[in-house]
């Protein structure tokens, strides 16, 4: 009985930590209150199997902040994600993600397709990110990039 209680307490603590992390992501992305439900719906409806929900939410939030996903569009409740082995492709949004065995985002490529964008500071939440490739990016959040302990390549 004591062992089961410890497991339940540990699981509850893990759930609270994930909720706190998700709240931090939403706050960091500065998603307006009126769009938070839509944001979570798109994340829930679009996430591929074996991908960290928090990392995926960061990607969706970044795509929303740079204008690739419209959280104000009532007709959108998901985005198309295609998985090829450990690579996620968003369509038509010009984003590729490499995913490791734990489901964490370790590589990110965003192509603005001739639309310039500023990378949001929420990129700092992708703490396992090793490679970041950006096309048509007009500005980078320097302080946020310094908080990425695994970042090895930036183009």
């Amino acid at each position: 009985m004591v062992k089961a209680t410890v497991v339940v307490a540990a699981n509850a603590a893990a759930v609270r930590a994930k909720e706190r992390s998700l709240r931090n992501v939403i706050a960091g992305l500065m998603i307006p209150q009126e769009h938070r439900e839509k944001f979570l719906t798109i994340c829930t409806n679009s996430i591929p199997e074996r991908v960290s929900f928090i990392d995926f939410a960061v990607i969706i939030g970044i795509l929303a902040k740079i204008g690739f996903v419209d959280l104000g569009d009532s007709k959108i409740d998901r985005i198309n994600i295609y998985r090829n082995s450990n690579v996620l492709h968003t369509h038509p949004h010009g984003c590729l993600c490499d995913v490791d065995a734990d489901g964490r985002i370790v590589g990110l490529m965003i192509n603005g397709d001739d639309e310039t964008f500023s990378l949001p500071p929420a990129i700092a939440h992708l703490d396992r990110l090793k490679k970041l490739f950006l096309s048509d990016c007009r500005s980078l959040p320097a302080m946020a990039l310094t908080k990425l302990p695994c970042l090895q390549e930036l183009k």
Side-chain angles (χ1 to χ4, degrees):
M1 183 68 164
V2 172
K3 193 173 190 178
T5 304
V6 171
V7 170
V8 169
N11 287 343
V15 167
R16 283 193 301 276
K18 285 183 180 182
E19 287 175 351
R20 193 170 34 257
S21 182
L22 183 58
R23 279 194 297 273
N24 289 339
V25 166
I26 291 171
L29 288 165
M30 295 182 282
I31 295 172
Q33 185 67 36
E34 66 271 14
H35 291 151
R36 290 182 184 179
E37 183 176 344
K38 171 67 80 171
F39 169 73
L40 291 172
T41 298
I42 290 172
C43 290
T44 303
N45 290 346
S46 305
I47 189 168
E49 291 181 11
R50 296 182 305 279
V51 175
S52 160
F53 187 83
I54 299 297
D55 282 10
F56 189 72
V58 170
I59 297 299
I60 298 301
I62 287 172
L63 293 176
K65 291 303 277 186
I66 63 178
F68 287 7
V69 174
D70 184 0
L71 297 177
D73 187 340
S74 62
K75 294 176 263 176
I76 297 174
D77 68 349
R78 68 176 299 117
I79 62 170
N80 294 323
I81 304 288
Y82 303 98
R83 187 176 191 137
N84 181 1
S85 184
N86 66 330
V87 179
L88 305 177
H89 306 262
T90 63
H91 180 75
H93 306 296
C95 176
L96 296 174
C97 302
D98 290 326
V99 181
D100 68 10
D102 297 326
R104 302 293 307 276
I105 306 288
V106 294
L108 176 62
M109 187 217 55
I110 302 174
N111 181 354
D113 290 328
D114 297 325
E115 293 290 327
T116 61
F117 63 92
S118 296
L119 187 66
I123 192 74
H125 290 285
L126 297 176
D127 58 0
R128 289 215 194 152
L129 192 66
K130 294 178 183 178
K131 297 178 180 181
L132 179 60
F133 303 117
L134 305 166
S135 174
D136 302 313
C137 182
R138 70 175 164 262
S139 66
L140 297 170
M143 289 302 295
L145 293 177
T146 66
K147 295 177 184 176
L148 295 172
C150 299
L151 189 63
Q152 299 168 356
E153 201 169 347
L154 173 63
K155 291 184 181 180

